[in-house]
Structure formats: C-alpha cells, structure tokens
Amino acid sequence: MARAIIFHRHGGPEVLQIDEIDIPEPGFREVRIRVKALGLNRAETLIRKGAYIETPTLPARLGLEASGIVDAVGAGVGGFSPGDAVSIIPPISMTTYPTHGEFAVLPANHIVKNPANLGWTEAAALWMPYLTAYGALVDLAQLQPGEPIVITAASSSVGIAAIQIARKIGAVPIALTRTSAKRKALLDAGAEYVVATAEEPLSQRLRQIAGRKSIRVIFDAVGGPMVIALSDAMSEGGILIEYGGLDPLPTPFPMLSALSKTLTLRGYLVHELIRDSSRLERAKAFIVDGLASGALAPTIARNFAFAEIVEAYHYLESNDQVGKVVVTL
C-alpha cells in the first residue's frame, strides 16, 4: 500500500486527505516512480473545485508535477532503469495520471532524466512552468531580442519562468503584479520593469515603458476587465495570449482595440506543445540548455511536508508566494 492525496468532494484545500491505496503497476510503455517531491499548480485547485477542463469522477486524485526515482518500468519501455532520477512532463489528463502520492505511473514519453545539477525540489518545479512559458513566448509568439513582453501574475512559477526565458532570449520582461509588495522580488528575479496594477494607470504606464518599442506580446494569466487596458497598450498586429483566468469577473472582448489594431487574442494550453513531439523536444532542449548556463533556475517559494498538503494549497491560493510551492516526501 502507498499514501496518496485524494478528494471525495469538491471544495477548498480542506477537502484533500491522505488515503492508503494499492501501489499502481506500470502498464505497456509506462514508468512508475517513487515520488520525492511534488510541484503545486493552479490547475489542481481548479480540478479540486470542479472547475477544470476535465471533470473527475469522485473520489479523485490529482497532480501534474513530480520528481523521483524510477521504481519499475512496464513492457515496451527503453531508456529508463530502476534508480534513475527523473521528473515528469505534465500529463494531458490529470485524472488518468495523477502525481500526488508516494508513487506515480506515467507514460514513458512523459518522463525526463534530471540534469545532474537539479535536486528533487527544483526538478519538481521545472516542467510545467517552463514548458508553459516557452510554448507561449518562443513557440507561439516567436518573441524577439530587444522587444518588450508583458507578463501578468508575474510572481507565479510560470511568471518567473517567463521572465527568465525572456531574459535568455534577450527580450525585455515587464512584470505585472497587483501591488508594490513584490516589486523588489520581481526585479531580483530578472524583470526589467515592474508595474503594480492596483496602484498605477496600466495602459498609460505600459506605453511609457515601451516608448518607441511597441508592445506586441502579452502573456496573461488573469483575464477579467484588465484585458481592456492591456489591449489598449498593444501595438498593431499584437498577440495577447491568455493561459489562465485568475480574475473571477467576466473577461470582456476588447472590440475597439482588436479591430483598430488587428489584434490576436489567443487561448493557450501547454497541452498543445506536449502533444507535438518535435515541438516538445525543441522546448526540452531550450530548457536544459538554460539550466546548464544558469539562465533558467526554478524559484522555490516554500517547501512543505507531505502531511502538510492542505496548508501547502492554502499558501498557494494566498497569492503571497514568489515562485513555486513544493511538497516533499
């Protein structure tokens, strides 16, 4: 038997509990890992609340990120052996391949050997944020050296990854955060500019920062009414990439800006990158190169013990963190 995080009803972090389950067996082309660390994501809060892109059958498990040791391999698996230190490319279905437990079974093509310089905590904080940011900034928007990139919810793990990736490319990251409380932390993380959206006139400030360099790309996790101000600051032919919906208010369509500047408003899921093997390999190579050079490095906000899973999600949802919340076993 093994411990796993399970929820029997939808709700807040308090619905999560640690139950005993049978140790899962790896099937054809699957790998079982003994988990050492878990990375927490907003997607898990959504599935727990019943508001995710897939609907679980209760009781349900959850989790998209983990690092650990290969414990067993199924038939048809090559390139992995028991004892390998690995981490997980986020699965397409969280309900089919949950990671929050002492053991996790994943398709072999979602398992990556850890770079030698990464510990368990950093490895568990790697693939979801960096693949998400790479997919939007590099693969989709084709961000160029010297051009500004606006990053909302910049203190999140994806936001920090986007700042680092922008710097690696040579672009100019403009970090958006609600108040000035995280300004220094975001500047230390590599942001060239920080805008406090609750304290400054957003579109005016963005235009002032950009100057003669137009804002072509915005990477937005928030949505809601702020989309109007963001669109107003964009240049002709710009692309606003929506990958989250942190604001519970409706997101209006910025009709005037979209028409007058022929804007693209694009929903984005990291799944579209993960499903394409050639694009995924390019992303992995970019990220591994950045880790080796030091240009990319996961930022850990706080580490919790496995028994503190409820407290860990409360902290994630407090929005007080800068970087990734990790749980270790």
Side-chain angles (χ1 to χ4, degrees):
M1 301 292 286
R3 295 180 300 163
I5 306 299
I6 293 178
F7 59 102
H8 293 258
R9 58 188 174 89
H10 294 298
E14 64 279 356
V15 305
L16 298 175
Q17 61 188 65
I18 299 175
D19 288 352
E20 294 277 334
I21 65 168
D22 292 331
I23 295 175
E25 292 296 327
F28 182 65
R29 293 182 179 172
E30 292 181 336
V31 173
R32 183 175 71 207
I33 71 168
R34 180 182 291 272
V35 174
K36 292 292 187 180
L38 307 168
L40 306 193
N41 296 279
R42 293 286 180 176
E44 290 128 8
T45 71
L46 292 175
I47 199 169
R48 191 196 67 225
K49 293 176 181 178
Y52 191 51
I53 56 175
E54 61 177 326
T55 303
T57 299
L58 299 177
R61 294 185 58 196
L62 74 173
L64 287 169
E65 286 186 285
S67 64
I69 300 170
V70 172
D71 180 71
V73 297
V77 174
F80 294 102
S81 301
D84 288 342
V86 297
S87 47
I88 290 171
I89 300 292
I92 302 301
S93 170
M94 194 189 320
T95 58
T96 303
Y97 292 108
T99 64
H100 279 16
E102 291 181 311
F103 291 90
V105 171
L106 276 296
N109 62 354
H110 281 253
I111 304 294
V112 181
K113 291 183 180 178
N114 290 345
N117 61 334
L118 279 192
W120 300 122
T121 300
E122 292 74 21
L126 179 63
W127 293 110
M128 174 61 91
Y130 285 89
L131 286 174
T132 300
Y134 172 94
L137 274 59
V138 181
D139 185 67
L140 181 58
Q142 298 182 17
L143 189 66
Q144 298 299 305
E147 72 172 326
I149 164 73
V150 175
I151 301 162
T152 73
S155 62
S156 68
S157 59
V158 178
I160 298 295
I163 290 171
Q164 294 179 2
I165 287 172
R167 297 294 298 225
K168 175 174 164 57
I169 292 168
V172 181
I174 303 170
L176 270 56
T177 184
R178 198 176 67 82
T179 72
S180 297
K182 297 178 181 178
R183 184 181 300 275
K184 183 179 185 303
L186 289 170
L187 291 171
D188 290 344
E192 191 73 18
Y193 302 94
V194 176
V195 179
T197 59
E199 302 169 7
E200 304 174 66
L202 182 54
S203 59
Q204 178 182 333
R205 180 66 179 127
L206 290 178
R207 286 199 207 94
Q208 182 185 45
I209 290 170
R212 297 177 64 183
K213 294 181 178 179
S214 58
I215 295 175
R216 182 180 66 87
V217 183
I218 294 181
F219 185 43
D220 181 35
V222 179
M226 187 172 68
V227 164
I228 297 295
L230 292 174
S231 302
D232 185 55
M234 295 181 74
S235 64
E236 186 173 347
I239 179 170
L240 197 162
I241 302 169
E242 292 286 350
Y243 76 97
L246 296 179
D247 193 327
L249 295 175
T251 300
F253 183 77
M255 180 68 74
L256 291 178
S257 292
L259 287 175
S260 63
K261 293 185 276 191
T262 61
L263 301 180
T264 298
L265 277 68
R266 171 70 147 78
Y268 173 75
L269 288 174
V270 70
H271 297 166
E272 63 187 88
L273 178 72
I274 292 171
R275 284 192 176 103
D276 188 318
S277 59
S278 60
R279 292 163 68 191
L280 178 59
E281 287 306 312
R282 287 194 295 272
K284 287 161 62 176
F286 179 97
I287 293 165
V288 170
D289 176 76
L291 293 169
S293 70
L296 307 182
T299 297
I300 307 304
R302 190 170 165 188
N303 205 327
F304 290 83
F306 188 66
E308 299 174 314
I309 189 68
V310 172
E311 292 89 339
Y313 272 108
H314 274 300
Y315 179 64
L316 175 72
E317 295 173 44
S318 74
N319 297 320
D320 290 336
Q321 77 279 8
V322 176
K324 195 74 168 181
V325 181
V326 177
V327 170
T328 52
L329 285 78

